[in-house]
Amino acid sequence: MEKLEALKSLLPGKVETSPAERRRHGKDEGYPEEGEVLAVVYPESVEDVQKALLWAGETGVAVIPFGAGTSLEGALLPLGEAISLDLSRMNRLLEVRPQDFLCVVEPGLTRKALNEALKGTGLFFPVDPGADASLGGMAATNASGTTTVRYGGMRANVLALQVVLASGEVLELGRGVRKTSAGYDLKDLFIGSEGTLGVITRLTLKLHPLPEHVHTLRVFFPGVEEAAEASYRVMATGLPVARLELLDELAMRALNQYLGASFPERPALFLEFHASTKEALQAESALALELMREAGALEVEAAKTEEERKRQWEARHQAYWALVHLFPGHRFLITDTAVPLSRLPEMVRFAQGLLLEMGLTGNILGHVGDGNFHTLVPVLPEDYPKAEVYAERLVQKALALGGTCTAEHGVGLRKRKYLPLEHGPALEWMRRLKALLDPQGILNPGKVV
């Protein structure tokens, strides 16, 4: 095509049109449909991003920013003619300022690569979604994970952004300080926008001191309801828990098979405490254990070594793939609801009861310290619509309890239908903002709003 030849001449050596690459960039890890982009552009600088966007504006071809491809809600699926803007070559750590507890990175750098580069500084970046996602992609979906209960998600840990608009204009949003009251907070508008408002080309991130003392526990319960109740009791005390994760018996069985582990196959809470003194750590852990036992805990295991601690959290992060491995030939729908903390036990009970009512197999796991959990529902391809009905009823319940349809995965295509219920008239203002910043509608069109 003539317009693709023009793109190649603008960005020599940075445009890929092989069928394999075009297909790889037209899907994500969780949406049932797949597509194919016209081409994949690998920018290496802000100027490259500007050139690609100006070309898109002239040709009317859509642009879908791409990080590591680990999203789950269909945000990467092209709905018409589109190129994928793969930012993986913009992966430099530009600056580390330990004295200010911050760093500056390009969007293609992954979270694991950042923490590896920070070794020796005594600092780390805490947002931990499980997948080795790119930091730009994590900001674009406002990702969070196992440590959010203590350190916050991406919005809490991004101090500043550089963003390129559809017009090619470059904006500097936010400042490298812990707080500011200077004007409208446009930075946070772009966090969670899933590439629909602009392309993130640089991030200034908040760093945190590595904890001096860490205590990691596995607590097992007779049922999921008891585990959910225990998690609420821990949060209600104000204990500074760093991680608080729920895994049901199906997840534990899947992990044992997938990893060759030997966990008790009962519902469990995985907990971790971070403290600056050994005495504080012991006191906090003792109180948490007392609360767990009052809620019906059957068994407690402590990670005795750093290696065992790493294995425990690696197991938590592998839970999704362990469950996928347990059901070959199935499709998988994963939910992402969150509710106010006091309503979490009720929401978990509803999710579990609805699986039984609809005759579905599924598991419950997630970040219950945040009121957020996931239900992974495996079904044969012909039964996928039934899983979608389950997800819709779960979202309706979460919204009725004052919660949200998506706590961390983003909207993409799958969650669009729930936004009118969650946001009401505010959704129309979101659409107006989209039209203002992207009047041609070339940035990831059809997603979010």
Side-chain angles (χ1 to χ4, degrees):
M1 296 169 65
E2 187 176 325
K3 53 190 172 187
L4 285 184
E5 292 305 314
L7 181 63
K8 290 178 179 179
S9 66
L10 271 177
L11 295 162
K14 300 171 185 175
V15 180
E16 175 63 65
T17 57
S18 71
E21 280 294 272
R22 290 162 54 199
R23 285 192 295 270
R24 183 172 75 86
H25 286 77
K27 63 180 182 178
D28 64 19
E29 289 188 353
Y31 198 69
E33 297 176 30
E34 299 180 2
E36 190 172 301
V37 294
L38 288 177
V40 182
V41 177
Y42 290 92
E44 297 175 10
S45 66
V46 176
E47 292 74 23
D48 287 347
V49 173
Q50 290 175 295
K51 289 177 184 178
L53 289 174
L54 290 171
W55 171 89
E58 291 170 0
T59 60
V61 175
V63 177
I64 303 175
F66 185 100
T70 56
S71 59
L72 296 165
E73 304 293 351
L76 300 178
L77 184 73
L79 300 180
E81 280 195 335
I83 61 168
S84 176
L85 195 66
D86 187 321
L87 296 149
S88 58
R89 293 185 188 176
M90 295 178 66
N91 61 359
R92 292 179 298 165
L93 173 57
L94 299 173
E95 185 181 6
V96 179
R97 288 162 47 188
Q99 72 277 18
D100 293 322
F101 299 93
L102 64 80
C103 68
V104 182
V105 304
E106 290 185 320
L109 187 68
T110 66
R111 65 173 187 89
K112 288 184 180 179
L114 173 59
N115 279 322
E116 187 65 28
L118 291 173
K119 284 184 176 177
T121 67
L123 302 172
F124 79 117
F125 183 70
V127 184
D128 180 15
D132 190 20
S134 71
L135 293 159
M138 288 167 62
T141 56
N142 190 29
S144 57
T146 62
T147 59
T148 305
V149 65
R150 174 69 177 269
Y151 299 100
M154 284 302 287
R155 190 167 274 126
N157 287 281
V158 175
L159 299 173
L161 292 175
Q162 181 187 75
V163 175
V164 183
L165 300 181
S167 64
E169 183 178 354
V170 179
L171 300 184
E172 301 286 347
L173 307 173
R175 306 288 287 177
V177 294
R178 290 300 175 106
K179 58 183 182 179
T180 173
S181 297
Y184 299 134
D185 191 355
L186 294 181
K187 165 182 67 73
D188 280 359
L189 180 63
F190 285 83
I191 297 173
S193 64
E194 301 182 40
T196 62
L197 302 180
V199 179
I200 295 169
T201 49
R202 190 179 67 229
L203 307 92
T204 302
L205 302 174
K206 187 188 298 185
L207 302 178
H208 298 259
L210 285 164
E212 289 285 333
H213 300 276
V214 178
H215 189 42
T216 303
L217 299 169
R218 299 181 294 275
V219 186
F220 298 91
F221 293 85
V224 170
E225 282 187 51
E226 290 87 348
E229 177 62 33
S231 73
Y232 174 69
R233 292 190 186 189
V234 169
M235 295 304 298
T237 65
L239 279 170
V241 62
R243 284 170 161 158
L244 181 52
E245 298 288 306
L246 170 65
L247 298 90
D248 70 1
E249 61 270 31
L250 182 58
M252 302 308 293
R253 175 157 60 90
L255 285 169
N256 283 342
Q257 291 190 25
Y258 187 63
L259 300 177
S262 55
F263 295 118
E265 292 182 3
R266 300 190 191 99
L269 289 177
F270 283 12
L271 298 93
E272 188 164 281
F273 292 91
H274 295 172
S276 57
T277 68
K278 190 174 183 180
E279 293 75 19
L281 188 71
Q282 289 173 339
E284 291 162 2
S285 300
L287 177 54
L289 284 175
E290 182 181 338
L291 293 168
M292 297 284 162
R293 292 190 175 101
E294 287 176 1
L298 300 174
E299 188 176 351
V300 177
E301 297 177 353
K304 297 180 176 61
T305 64
E306 174 68 11
E307 184 60 32
E308 187 180 356
R309 185 180 77 84
K310 287 181 178 178
R311 284 200 304 270
Q312 174 169 325
W313 294 114
E314 180 62 21
R316 168 61 188 90
H317 290 321
Q318 291 293 328
Y320 173 81
W321 293 111
L323 286 154
V324 169
H325 185 76
L326 197 62
F327 295 95
H330 286 62
R331 282 187 173 180
F332 300 87
L333 187 146
I334 186 166
T335 67
D336 182 39
T337 53
V339 294
L341 284 178
S342 65
R343 312 307 292 269
L344 178 69
E346 179 183 352
M347 189 66 193
V348 167
R349 183 165 58 250
F350 178 85
Q352 197 171 43
L354 189 58
L355 286 170
L356 292 172
E357 177 189 323
M358 296 185 66
L360 292 167
T361 298
N363 91 294
I364 293 171
L365 76 161
H367 321 300
V368 288
D370 306 325
N372 169 217
F373 68 90
H374 310 300
T375 308
L376 184 67
V377 183
V379 289
L380 294 171
E382 60 268 25
D383 292 328
Y384 197 82
K386 189 176 180 181
E388 290 182 312
V389 171
Y390 173 85
E392 186 163 345
R393 290 183 62 183
L394 204 64
V395 167
Q396 289 169 350
K397 178 67 172 179
L399 295 178
L401 295 177
T404 179
C405 67
T406 178
E408 59 181 9
H409 292 168
V411 175
L413 289 170
R414 196 195 309 270
K415 302 288 196 317
R416 284 186 311 173
K417 60 185 176 182
Y418 305 129
L419 292 198
L421 294 172
E422 183 160 339
H423 293 297
L427 180 59
E428 178 55 32
W429 285 95
M430 294 182 196
R431 290 173 176 148
R432 293 180 189 182
L433 285 167
K434 163 71 171 171
L436 176 67
L437 292 167
D438 179 22
Q440 289 182 264
I442 61 170
L443 288 172
N444 209 3
K447 315 299 168 49
V448 186
V449 297

